[in-house]
Amino acid sequence: MTRRSLTVAALLALAACDWDYYAMMNSVPIRGDPAANPVVHVMLAVDSLAYAAAVDAQSRGAFPGFTLARHLTGFPGTSDISWTRILHTAPIESYELQYYDPVENELVYSGYAGLLMHAVPFDTRPCYEAFDFSANGLTNALYNYESPRYSLGTTLDNVFTLLEGRAQTRSTEAFLAFINELDAIGHMEPYEDYLEALLVLDRRIEAFKAAHPERTWLFTLVSDHGHNFISSPDEKMIRFHDELPRLAIEAVDSLEGRDADGPLAAVPIVHARVTYVALHTLQEQAPEVARRVSGARFTDLTIAKLPAPNGHTEPWYGVWRDGGLALRFGFDARADSYLVDVSGALEALDLDWIGSGKGIVSVGDQELFERTRYSDFPDLLYRTRTALEPAGLEFPAQVLVSFRHPYASVGFEVPGGGNAIAIASFHGGMHRLDATGVVLTEARELPPAIRSDTFLELFPVFAARIAERGMLRAKVDANESLDYSSMP
Amino acid sequence: MHGGGGVAATGRVGGGASCWRGVSRATRLRLLAAAVGALLFFTARPCLAASEPGSSGGSSWGRHRLATSGFYPIWEDTGSLLEPADIQLASNGFRVRIPGDVQLGLQPTYYLHRAPNLEAKVSILKRAELQLALRQSVIVLFRNAQDRMITPVYASRLTNPNSNVVLAPASLHATWRPFSFLLVHGSATVLPMLSNEKDFENRAVGGLSAMVELPVVRGHSLLLHGGEVGLWDHDFAYLGASYRLNYAWFMMQLGFAYRLRPEGAQGSPLLSVGAYL
C-alpha cells in the first residue's frame, strides 16, 4: 500500500504542472471596455533585430508610420546582459548563462550543463520575467533552433492572442512580449529569409490592428543587439582554448592559487557562437593579457582596466588593437566626463577629433555619444567602461575580446560533429554591425541614435509596466542618461 | 510541449536542407498521429470483436476503461459518473462518488496555482445507451491569477490585477453510445464570470462541446475533442485529440488541443495521471 501510494504521489507530482491551468486561464471569454483603455502600447522585444535589416524592411514598405532609430547596445552584445540593461532588471551573474564565479573560483554551466540549461525553462533570467510573454511552451527553445520559421509563426500566434486578451483588462496600458526567433533565423538562414521573417512580423502587426479598430495600438519594436550578416566558415571559427597557449597565456578553468607574478593565465568563456570572448584573469595580468590577445589575427580590439596614472584617482580603462594600447582613458563620474589620453592611436577608433600629441583631454559623455554614434565603434568609451564594471551583472570579466570580421568564437561544440550550424551571421562584438539594434516605434518621435541603457527613459509606459511586474531596478549606470533634446 | 499552433505560419521564407526538413512541424506531427492511429486501429480490431467494454474480463486491465470526466477544462465532461464508492485521484481531478447519484470533485493542480475550486455532478438519466448529468463548478481566481504559472513559459490572456474573479460554469452533459466502439460525450455549458468589474465586465457565456471516444483496445481509448465558446457571440473554438489508458488502478490521459481565435492558434498540451481507488 505504501509503495502504491508513493507511486501515485510521484505521478501526481509529475503531472502537477501548468498545462491544465494554462488551458483553463486561456479558455475564459473575458470582455473589457475599449473606452477604459483606448490606447495600448505594445513592446515587441525582438531578439537580434539589426538596424540594417530594419532599414531594408522599411524600404520595402514595411512598418509604415514607424520612426526608426539606431539602438546602440552594450558590449558584449548578447541577449541576457543586453535585456537586463535595457529593461533595468535585477543583475545577472555575468554576460551569458555560462560564467566564471570568482568567489567560488569555478566555471558555472559549462559544457553540457550549459547546453541543457538553454532548453530548460525553469532558470529564467530576471530580464525575461519582465515580459508579459517570454516563451511559447516547454519546447520553445528546441523548436526555436530546430525549425525557427515555424516557431516564429506559433510565437506570433500566441503573442497576438495574448495581446487581444490582456487588452480586455481595463487597466492594461502596455504589453511586453519577447520574440526570440529572429535571432536563430539570423544565425542559421540566409539574409533574405531573415528579412522575410521581419516582413511577416510587419504583416501580422498590420493585420492585428486592422482586426481590432476598437483600440489604438502603438507598437514599438526594440532589439538587444544587431546581426552582422557575415558568415564565418569553419576556418574562421576560433577555438580560444587552442589560441591562448600560442599567445603564451595558459587557458585554465580556475584562477584559484594563481600568482600575479606567475605565468599569464585566463579563463575563457566559450559558450555561444558570438563575436566576442570574455576572459577572466587576475586584474594585475589583465593589461598584458589584453595586449597579447589584441595582436592575434582574429582580434579587432580588446579592452581591460588599467591602473590610474600618477595624480589620478578615477578608474582607468584601455583599448588595445594590433598588439598595442590604442586608447587609454579615465572616467570622472562627478563631471560625467572622460579623461582621454590623446597620445594613443585615436584615428583608428574614429576618435582623433578629441586631440593629438600628448596630454589628457576631458570630453563630456554627451559630446562623446553625439560624435561617435555613427562610427564603427559607437559610444565606445561608455560601452568599454560599463562592460568592465558590474553594470547589470555581478562578475564582469577582466578582459573582453571583440573579434575582427569574419571571425567568431566557435562556442560549445558537441563531440562527434553536428557543429556546422548557426554560421550565417553573428553578434556580440564592439563593431557597429554586431552592436546596432533598433528602436522602431509609432508611439513617438525618436532621436537618430539611442543608448540602450536609456531606452526606458524614452518609453516610461514600459518602465511602468515592468515596475508593475515587480521587476524594475535602479539605473544600470549612474551616468547612463543623455539629453537627446539637445542633440541634432 | 510546444505552446503554439502555427495556423498563421510565417510562410516559406527559404529553402530547407532536405525535403523532410522542409515539412512543417505541424505536418510531421499529423503524419505521426495518423500512423499511430492506424496502427492502433488495425491491431485493435480483433480485440474489439471479443471485448465487451464495461466488464473486467478477469484481466489486469482496469474497470474504468471509459472516460467518466472531461479532459479539456471548463467546457467538457461526460454524462456518466464513477461507480458507487469509487474514488479517482488524478492530476486533473480528485473525484468521489457519494450516495444519491452524486459525484463530488475538485481540480487539485489549480490549488497549486492558488485557485480553489469544487464541482458537483448529479446523474439525471442512466440508460445503457444514453446517460445525462448536470454539473456545477466553482473556480475562484484571486488577484493576479495570471502570475500563478509554475513555469515562465506559459502565459494567460486573462489578467485580474484589481479583482477576484469567480467562475461558476453550469452544464448539462450527455454520453451517447450508438455502438460498442463509439461514444459521444456532449456538453452544453453556461459560464458566469463574476467580479467587482474593475478588470472586466460580469457576463455569462455559453459553449457547446463534444468528445468522441473510441475504446479501440481494452484499456486504451482515443478521444477527439472539439468545442465552440461564445456561440452567436463567438469567442474561440478548440480542437484536440488525446489518448487514454487505464491499467488496473492506474490511469493516464495525454493529449493536445488547439484554441483557435482570429489572432492565431494557441497550442495546449494536456495531461492527467492518477489512480482509481
Side-chain angles (χ1 to χ4, degrees), chain B residues 106-124:
Chain B
L106 58 85
Q107 215 299 4
T109 63
Y110 292 177
Y111 283 84
L112 297 175
H113 299 91
R114 284 182 274 168
N117 65 94
L118 281 173
E119 69 174 36
K121 189 170 160 187
V122 181
S123 174
I124 56 174

mmCIF file with all atom_site columns, all heavy atoms in Angstrom, chain B residues 106-124:
data_model
loop_
_atom_site.group_PDB
_atom_site.id
_atom_site.type_symbol
_atom_site.label_atom_id
_atom_site.label_alt_id
_atom_site.label_comp_id
_atom_site.label_asym_id
_atom_site.label_entity_id
_atom_site.label_seq_id
_atom_site.pdbx_PDB_ins_code
_atom_site.Cartn_x
_atom_site.Cartn_y
_atom_site.Cartn_z
_atom_site.occupancy
_atom_site.B_iso_or_equiv
_atom_site.pdbx_formal_charge
_atom_site.auth_seq_id
_atom_site.auth_comp_id
_atom_site.auth_asym_id
_atom_site.auth_atom_id
_atom_site.pdbx_PDB_model_num
ATOM 1   N N   . LEU B 1 106 ? -12.763 18.020 -7.341  1.00 0.00 ? 106 LEU B N   1
ATOM 2   C CA  . LEU B 1 106 ? -12.006 19.270 -7.416  1.00 0.00 ? 106 LEU B CA  1
ATOM 3   C C   . LEU B 1 106 ? -10.818 19.053 -8.343  1.00 0.00 ? 106 LEU B C   1
ATOM 4   O O   . LEU B 1 106 ? -10.420 17.910 -8.615  1.00 0.00 ? 106 LEU B O   1
ATOM 5   C CB  . LEU B 1 106 ? -11.555 19.733 -6.029  1.00 0.00 ? 106 LEU B CB  1
ATOM 6   C CG  . LEU B 1 106 ? -10.693 18.787 -5.195  1.00 0.00 ? 106 LEU B CG  1
ATOM 7   C CD1 . LEU B 1 106 ? -9.217  18.896 -5.530  1.00 0.00 ? 106 LEU B CD1 1
ATOM 8   C CD2 . LEU B 1 106 ? -10.901 19.093 -3.701  1.00 0.00 ? 106 LEU B CD2 1
ATOM 9   N N   . GLN B 1 107 ? -10.272 20.159 -8.819  1.00 0.00 ? 107 GLN B N   1
ATOM 10  C CA  . GLN B 1 107 ? -9.092  20.098 -9.681  1.00 0.00 ? 107 GLN B CA  1
ATOM 11  C C   . GLN B 1 107 ? -7.882  20.391 -8.790  1.00 0.00 ? 107 GLN B C   1
ATOM 12  O O   . GLN B 1 107 ? -7.666  21.539 -8.394  1.00 0.00 ? 107 GLN B O   1
ATOM 13  C CB  . GLN B 1 107 ? -9.225  21.144 -10.782 1.00 0.00 ? 107 GLN B CB  1
ATOM 14  C CG  . GLN B 1 107 ? -8.663  20.781 -12.130 1.00 0.00 ? 107 GLN B CG  1
ATOM 15  C CD  . GLN B 1 107 ? -7.168  20.497 -12.124 1.00 0.00 ? 107 GLN B CD  1
ATOM 16  O OE1 . GLN B 1 107 ? -6.507  20.489 -11.093 1.00 0.00 ? 107 GLN B OE1 1
ATOM 17  N NE2 . GLN B 1 107 ? -6.630  20.242 -13.291 1.00 0.00 ? 107 GLN B NE2 1
ATOM 18  N N   . PRO B 1 108 ? -7.080  19.366 -8.449  1.00 0.00 ? 108 PRO B N   1
ATOM 19  C CA  . PRO B 1 108 ? -6.047  19.580 -7.431  1.00 0.00 ? 108 PRO B CA  1
ATOM 20  C C   . PRO B 1 108 ? -4.925  20.513 -7.860  1.00 0.00 ? 108 PRO B C   1
ATOM 21  O O   . PRO B 1 108 ? -4.410  21.277 -7.047  1.00 0.00 ? 108 PRO B O   1
ATOM 22  C CB  . PRO B 1 108 ? -5.506  18.162 -7.179  1.00 0.00 ? 108 PRO B CB  1
ATOM 23  C CG  . PRO B 1 108 ? -5.816  17.399 -8.419  1.00 0.00 ? 108 PRO B CG  1
ATOM 24  C CD  . PRO B 1 108 ? -7.101  17.967 -8.927  1.00 0.00 ? 108 PRO B CD  1
ATOM 25  N N   . THR B 1 109 ? -4.542  20.474 -9.148  1.00 0.00 ? 109 THR B N   1
ATOM 26  C CA  . THR B 1 109 ? -3.398  21.314 -9.533  1.00 0.00 ? 109 THR B CA  1
ATOM 27  C C   . THR B 1 109 ? -3.752  22.802 -9.490  1.00 0.00 ? 109 THR B C   1
ATOM 28  O O   . THR B 1 109 ? -2.876  23.643 -9.309  1.00 0.00 ? 109 THR B O   1
ATOM 29  C CB  . THR B 1 109 ? -2.866  20.955 -10.935 1.00 0.00 ? 109 THR B CB  1
ATOM 30  O OG1 . THR B 1 109 ? -3.877  21.203 -11.909 1.00 0.00 ? 109 THR B OG1 1
ATOM 31  C CG2 . THR B 1 109 ? -2.433  19.509 -10.994 1.00 0.00 ? 109 THR B CG2 1
ATOM 32  N N   . TYR B 1 110 ? -5.048  23.118 -9.629  1.00 0.00 ? 110 TYR B N   1
ATOM 33  C CA  . TYR B 1 110 ? -5.420  24.530 -9.517  1.00 0.00 ? 110 TYR B CA  1
ATOM 34  C C   . TYR B 1 110 ? -5.100  25.064 -8.117  1.00 0.00 ? 110 TYR B C   1
ATOM 35  O O   . TYR B 1 110 ? -4.841  26.258 -7.952  1.00 0.00 ? 110 TYR B O   1
ATOM 36  C CB  . TYR B 1 110 ? -6.903  24.749 -9.803  1.00 0.00 ? 110 TYR B CB  1
ATOM 37  C CG  . TYR B 1 110 ? -7.325  24.503 -11.235 1.00 0.00 ? 110 TYR B CG  1
ATOM 38  C CD1 . TYR B 1 110 ? -8.656  24.618 -11.605 1.00 0.00 ? 110 TYR B CD1 1
ATOM 39  C CD2 . TYR B 1 110 ? -6.403  24.163 -12.222 1.00 0.00 ? 110 TYR B CD2 1
ATOM 40  C CE1 . TYR B 1 110 ? -9.071  24.397 -12.913 1.00 0.00 ? 110 TYR B CE1 1
ATOM 41  C CE2 . TYR B 1 110 ? -6.803  23.927 -13.528 1.00 0.00 ? 110 TYR B CE2 1
ATOM 42  C CZ  . TYR B 1 110 ? -8.141  24.036 -13.860 1.00 0.00 ? 110 TYR B CZ  1
ATOM 43  O OH  . TYR B 1 110 ? -8.549  23.805 -15.158 1.00 0.00 ? 110 TYR B OH  1
ATOM 44  N N   . TYR B 1 111 ? -5.155  24.184 -7.126  1.00 0.00 ? 111 TYR B N   1
ATOM 45  C CA  . TYR B 1 111 ? -4.800  24.637 -5.768  1.00 0.00 ? 111 TYR B CA  1
ATOM 46  C C   . TYR B 1 111 ? -3.325  25.017 -5.696  1.00 0.00 ? 111 TYR B C   1
ATOM 47  O O   . TYR B 1 111 ? -2.954  25.919 -4.947  1.00 0.00 ? 111 TYR B O   1
ATOM 48  C CB  . TYR B 1 111 ? -5.136  23.562 -4.742  1.00 0.00 ? 111 TYR B CB  1
ATOM 49  C CG  . TYR B 1 111 ? -6.621  23.497 -4.432  1.00 0.00 ? 111 TYR B CG  1
ATOM 50  C CD1 . TYR B 1 111 ? -7.480  22.764 -5.244  1.00 0.00 ? 111 TYR B CD1 1
ATOM 51  C CD2 . TYR B 1 111 ? -7.163  24.185 -3.353  1.00 0.00 ? 111 TYR B CD2 1
ATOM 52  C CE1 . TYR B 1 111 ? -8.835  22.712 -5.003  1.00 0.00 ? 111 TYR B CE1 1
ATOM 53  C CE2 . TYR B 1 111 ? -8.527  24.148 -3.095  1.00 0.00 ? 111 TYR B CE2 1
ATOM 54  C CZ  . TYR B 1 111 ? -9.363  23.409 -3.922  1.00 0.00 ? 111 TYR B CZ  1
ATOM 55  O OH  . TYR B 1 111 ? -10.717 23.379 -3.673  1.00 0.00 ? 111 TYR B OH  1
ATOM 56  N N   . LEU B 1 112 ? -2.487  24.330 -6.478  1.00 0.00 ? 112 LEU B N   1
ATOM 57  C CA  . LEU B 1 112 ? -1.089  24.741 -6.542  1.00 0.00 ? 112 LEU B CA  1
ATOM 58  C C   . LEU B 1 112 ? -0.955  26.136 -7.135  1.00 0.00 ? 112 LEU B C   1
ATOM 59  O O   . LEU B 1 112 ? -0.010  26.869 -6.834  1.00 0.00 ? 112 LEU B O   1
ATOM 60  C CB  . LEU B 1 112 ? -0.277  23.756 -7.397  1.00 0.00 ? 112 LEU B CB  1
ATOM 61  C CG  . LEU B 1 112 ? -0.184  22.320 -6.901  1.00 0.00 ? 112 LEU B CG  1
ATOM 62  C CD1 . LEU B 1 112 ? 0.555   21.467 -7.924  1.00 0.00 ? 112 LEU B CD1 1
ATOM 63  C CD2 . LEU B 1 112 ? 0.503   22.264 -5.547  1.00 0.00 ? 112 LEU B CD2 1
ATOM 64  N N   . HIS B 1 113 ? -1.909  26.474 -7.969  1.00 0.00 ? 113 HIS B N   1
ATOM 65  C CA  . HIS B 1 113 ? -1.914  27.810 -8.567  1.00 0.00 ? 113 HIS B CA  1
ATOM 66  C C   . HIS B 1 113 ? -2.765  28.784 -7.748  1.00 0.00 ? 113 HIS B C   1
ATOM 67  O O   . HIS B 1 113 ? -3.108  29.860 -8.244  1.00 0.00 ? 113 HIS B O   1
ATOM 68  C CB  . HIS B 1 113 ? -2.453  27.732 -10.004 1.00 0.00 ? 113 HIS B CB  1
ATOM 69  C CG  . HIS B 1 113 ? -1.651  26.863 -10.916 1.00 0.00 ? 113 HIS B CG  1
ATOM 70  N ND1 . HIS B 1 113 ? -1.916  25.536 -11.096 1.00 0.00 ? 113 HIS B ND1 1
ATOM 71  C CD2 . HIS B 1 113 ? -0.573  27.117 -11.685 1.00 0.00 ? 113 HIS B CD2 1
ATOM 72  C CE1 . HIS B 1 113 ? -1.034  25.012 -11.950 1.00 0.00 ? 113 HIS B CE1 1
ATOM 73  N NE2 . HIS B 1 113 ? -0.218  25.953 -12.314 1.00 0.00 ? 113 HIS B NE2 1
ATOM 74  N N   . ARG B 1 114 ? -3.096  28.390 -6.569  1.00 0.00 ? 114 ARG B N   1
ATOM 75  C CA  . ARG B 1 114 ? -3.906  29.198 -5.651  1.00 0.00 ? 114 ARG B CA  1
ATOM 76  C C   . ARG B 1 114 ? -5.248  29.578 -6.274  1.00 0.00 ? 114 ARG B C   1
ATOM 77  O O   . ARG B 1 114 ? -5.690  30.720 -6.206  1.00 0.00 ? 114 ARG B O   1
ATOM 78  C CB  . ARG B 1 114 ? -3.136  30.443 -5.199  1.00 0.00 ? 114 ARG B CB  1
ATOM 79  C CG  . ARG B 1 114 ? -2.080  30.108 -4.164  1.00 0.00 ? 114 ARG B CG  1
ATOM 80  C CD  . ARG B 1 114 ? -1.363  31.343 -3.689  1.00 0.00 ? 114 ARG B CD  1
ATOM 81  N NE  . ARG B 1 114 ? -0.239  31.679 -4.558  1.00 0.00 ? 114 ARG B NE  1
ATOM 82  C CZ  . ARG B 1 114 ? 0.425   32.813 -4.515  1.00 0.00 ? 114 ARG B CZ  1
ATOM 83  N NH1 . ARG B 1 114 ? 0.075   33.739 -3.665  1.00 0.00 ? 114 ARG B NH1 1
ATOM 84  N NH2 . ARG B 1 114 ? 1.439   33.039 -5.309  1.00 0.00 ? 114 ARG B NH2 1
ATOM 85  N N   . ALA B 1 115 ? -5.889  28.607 -6.898  1.00 0.00 ? 115 ALA B N   1
ATOM 86  C CA  . ALA B 1 115 ? -7.218  28.802 -7.472  1.00 0.00 ? 115 ALA B CA  1
ATOM 87  C C   . ALA B 1 115 ? -8.153  27.730 -6.904  1.00 0.00 ? 115 ALA B C   1
ATOM 88  O O   . ALA B 1 115 ? -8.340  26.665 -7.505  1.00 0.00 ? 115 ALA B O   1
ATOM 89  C CB  . ALA B 1 115 ? -7.161  28.717 -8.991  1.00 0.00 ? 115 ALA B CB  1
ATOM 90  N N   . PRO B 1 116 ? -8.725  27.984 -5.736  1.00 0.00 ? 116 PRO B N   1
ATOM 91  C CA  . PRO B 1 116 ? -9.607  26.975 -5.132  1.00 0.00 ? 116 PRO B CA  1
ATOM 92  C C   . PRO B 1 116 ? -10.806 26.686 -6.024  1.00 0.00 ? 116 PRO B C   1
ATOM 93  O O   . PRO B 1 116 ? -11.321 27.574 -6.704  1.00 0.00 ? 116 PRO B O   1
ATOM 94  C CB  . PRO B 1 116 ? -10.028 27.621 -3.813  1.00 0.00 ? 116 PRO B CB  1
ATOM 95  C CG  . PRO B 1 116 ? -9.745  29.068 -3.953  1.00 0.00 ? 116 PRO B CG  1
ATOM 96  C CD  . PRO B 1 116 ? -8.609  29.197 -4.922  1.00 0.00 ? 116 PRO B CD  1
ATOM 97  N N   . ASN B 1 117 ? -11.251 25.446 -5.985  1.00 0.00 ? 117 ASN B N   1
ATOM 98  C CA  . ASN B 1 117 ? -12.345 25.068 -6.873  1.00 0.00 ? 117 ASN B CA  1
ATOM 99  C C   . ASN B 1 117 ? -13.047 23.837 -6.338  1.00 0.00 ? 117 ASN B C   1
ATOM 100 O O   . ASN B 1 117 ? -12.462 23.054 -5.568  1.00 0.00 ? 117 ASN B O   1
ATOM 101 C CB  . ASN B 1 117 ? -11.807 24.794 -8.276  1.00 0.00 ? 117 ASN B CB  1
ATOM 102 C CG  . ASN B 1 117 ? -10.877 23.587 -8.307  1.00 0.00 ? 117 ASN B CG  1
ATOM 103 O OD1 . ASN B 1 117 ? -11.300 22.469 -8.583  1.00 0.00 ? 117 ASN B OD1 1
ATOM 104 N ND2 . ASN B 1 117 ? -9.603  23.798 -7.973  1.00 0.00 ? 117 ASN B ND2 1
ATOM 105 N N   . LEU B 1 118 ? -14.278 23.665 -6.731  1.00 0.00 ? 118 LEU B N   1
ATOM 106 C CA  . LEU B 1 118 ? -15.088 22.496 -6.363  1.00 0.00 ? 118 LEU B CA  1
ATOM 107 C C   . LEU B 1 118 ? -16.063 22.210 -7.505  1.00 0.00 ? 118 LEU B C   1
ATOM 108 O O   . LEU B 1 118 ? -16.403 23.114 -8.271  1.00 0.00 ? 118 LEU B O   1
ATOM 109 C CB  . LEU B 1 118 ? -15.897 22.765 -5.092  1.00 0.00 ? 118 LEU B CB  1
ATOM 110 C CG  . LEU B 1 118 ? -15.180 22.680 -3.745  1.00 0.00 ? 118 LEU B CG  1
ATOM 111 C CD1 . LEU B 1 118 ? -16.123 23.153 -2.648  1.00 0.00 ? 118 LEU B CD1 1
ATOM 112 C CD2 . LEU B 1 118 ? -14.689 21.264 -3.474  1.00 0.00 ? 118 LEU B CD2 1
ATOM 113 N N   . GLU B 1 119 ? -16.496 20.971 -7.584  1.00 0.00 ? 119 GLU B N   1
ATOM 114 C CA  . GLU B 1 119 ? -17.533 20.664 -8.551  1.00 0.00 ? 119 GLU B CA  1
ATOM 115 C C   . GLU B 1 119 ? -18.435 19.576 -7.992  1.00 0.00 ? 119 GLU B C   1
ATOM 116 O O   . GLU B 1 119 ? -18.008 18.733 -7.188  1.00 0.00 ? 119 GLU B O   1
ATOM 117 C CB  . GLU B 1 119 ? -16.943 20.202 -9.887  1.00 0.00 ? 119 GLU B CB  1
ATOM 118 C CG  . GLU B 1 119 ? -16.257 18.841 -9.821  1.00 0.00 ? 119 GLU B CG  1
ATOM 119 C CD  . GLU B 1 119 ? -15.811 18.331 -11.185 1.00 0.00 ? 119 GLU B CD  1
ATOM 120 O OE1 . GLU B 1 119 ? -15.401 19.158 -11.993 1.00 0.00 ? 119 GLU B OE1 1
ATOM 121 O OE2 . GLU B 1 119 ? -15.884 17.104 -11.408 1.00 0.00 ? 119 GLU B OE2 1
ATOM 122 N N   . ALA B 1 120 ? -19.696 19.651 -8.391  1.00 0.00 ? 120 ALA B N   1
ATOM 123 C CA  . ALA B 1 120 ? -20.668 18.596 -8.043  1.00 0.00 ? 120 ALA B CA  1
ATOM 124 C C   . ALA B 1 120 ? -21.359 18.173 -9.325  1.00 0.00 ? 120 ALA B C   1
ATOM 125 O O   . ALA B 1 120 ? -21.698 19.008 -10.170 1.00 0.00 ? 120 ALA B O   1
ATOM 126 C CB  . ALA B 1 120 ? -21.674 19.124 -7.041  1.00 0.00 ? 120 ALA B CB  1
ATOM 127 N N   . LYS B 1 121 ? -21.531 16.870 -9.441  1.00 0.00 ? 121 LYS B N   1
ATOM 128 C CA  . LYS B 1 121 ? -22.137 16.353 -10.679 1.00 0.00 ? 121 LYS B CA  1
ATOM 129 C C   . LYS B 1 121 ? -23.228 15.364 -10.279 1.00 0.00 ? 121 LYS B C   1
ATOM 130 O O   . LYS B 1 121 ? -22.999 14.492 -9.415  1.00 0.00 ? 121 LYS B O   1
ATOM 131 C CB  . LYS B 1 121 ? -21.052 15.667 -11.502 1.00 0.00 ? 121 LYS B CB  1
ATOM 132 C CG  . LYS B 1 121 ? -21.434 15.260 -12.898 1.00 0.00 ? 121 LYS B CG  1
ATOM 133 C CD  . LYS B 1 121 ? -20.132 14.821 -13.614 1.00 0.00 ? 121 LYS B CD  1
ATOM 134 C CE  . LYS B 1 121 ? -20.417 13.959 -14.802 1.00 0.00 ? 121 LYS B CE  1
ATOM 135 N NZ  . LYS B 1 121 ? -19.173 13.418 -15.369 1.00 0.00 ? 121 LYS B NZ  1
ATOM 136 N N   . VAL B 1 122 ? -24.377 15.513 -10.865 1.00 0.00 ? 122 VAL B N   1
ATOM 137 C CA  . VAL B 1 122 ? -25.532 14.685 -10.500 1.00 0.00 ? 122 VAL B CA  1
ATOM 138 C C   . VAL B 1 122 ? -26.015 13.960 -11.746 1.00 0.00 ? 122 VAL B C   1
ATOM 139 O O   . VAL B 1 122 ? -26.214 14.578 -12.796 1.00 0.00 ? 122 VAL B O   1
ATOM 140 C CB  . VAL B 1 122 ? -26.678 15.566 -9.945  1.00 0.00 ? 122 VAL B CB  1
ATOM 141 C CG1 . VAL B 1 122 ? -27.849 14.688 -9.540  1.00 0.00 ? 122 VAL B CG1 1
ATOM 142 C CG2 . VAL B 1 122 ? -26.194 16.391 -8.766  1.00 0.00 ? 122 VAL B CG2 1
ATOM 143 N N   . SER B 1 123 ? -26.229 12.675 -11.611 1.00 0.00 ? 123 SER B N   1
ATOM 144 C CA  . SER B 1 123 ? -26.757 11.900 -12.727 1.00 0.00 ? 123 SER B CA  1
ATOM 145 C C   . SER B 1 123 ? -28.268 12.069 -12.784 1.00 0.00 ? 123 SER B C   1
ATOM 146 O O   . SER B 1 123 ? -28.961 11.959 -11.765 1.00 0.00 ? 123 SER B O   1
ATOM 147 C CB  . SER B 1 123 ? -26.408 10.415 -12.541 1.00 0.00 ? 123 SER B CB  1
ATOM 148 O OG  . SER B 1 123 ? -27.029 9.648  -13.548 1.00 0.00 ? 123 SER B OG  1
ATOM 149 N N   . ILE B 1 124 ? -28.808 12.359 -13.975 1.00 0.00 ? 124 ILE B N   1
ATOM 150 C CA  . ILE B 1 124 ? -30.264 12.514 -14.089 1.00 0.00 ? 124 ILE B CA  1
ATOM 151 C C   . ILE B 1 124 ? -30.875 11.487 -15.029 1.00 0.00 ? 124 ILE B C   1
ATOM 152 O O   . ILE B 1 124 ? -32.083 11.380 -15.125 1.00 0.00 ? 124 ILE B O   1
ATOM 153 C CB  . ILE B 1 124 ? -30.633 13.943 -14.557 1.00 0.00 ? 124 ILE B CB  1
ATOM 154 C CG1 . ILE B 1 124 ? -29.932 14.287 -15.874 1.00 0.00 ? 124 ILE B CG1 1
ATOM 155 C CG2 . ILE B 1 124 ? -30.286 14.952 -13.471 1.00 0.00 ? 124 ILE B CG2 1
ATOM 156 C CD1 . ILE B 1 124 ? -30.375 15.632 -16.460 1.00 0.00 ? 124 ILE B CD1 1
#
